[in-house]
Amino acid sequence: AKNRTLYPALIEEWERVLQADGRMVLLTSERSLLEATLRHTSALELTRSLSVLVRGVRATIFVVRRR
């Protein structure tokens, strides 16, 4: 439940610090929450995702680009 507040705050900070055309790689088990949060920003674009298992827990690696 705390991630629903955390993720929008993180997105806001990433928009601030990531340079134009900069990229970052994120790992989360909250795939749908991160995707939904990214849909509310015009500054960041999801360019790739990959599902992985981390210690038996389904997670997703995201590559996000600053527009």
Side-chain angles (χ1 to χ4, degrees):
K2 290 181 181 181
N3 285 347
R4 290 187 190 123
T5 303
L6 175 65
Y7 279 28
L10 288 172
I11 293 291
E12 185 177 320
E13 182 65 7
W14 294 333
E15 288 175 342
R16 188 183 72 77
V17 299
L18 197 61
Q19 293 182 1
D21 205 34
R23 288 176 174 74
M24 65 183 162
V25 178
L26 311 167
L27 174 67
T28 182
S29 60
E30 298 263 7
R31 178 186 184 118
S32 60
L33 180 58
L34 184 57
E35 287 174 335
T37 306
L38 285 170
R39 280 194 292 272
H40 289 78
T41 178
S42 60
L44 301 176
E45 171 185 33
L46 175 61
T47 60
R48 189 168 182 195
S49 64
L50 176 67
S51 293
V52 295
L53 282 176
V54 178
R55 304 186 93 194
V57 175
R58 177 77 49 202
T60 305
I61 298 170
F62 288 94
V63 179
V64 176
R65 180 180 74 87
R66 170 81 191 223
R67 295 175 195 229

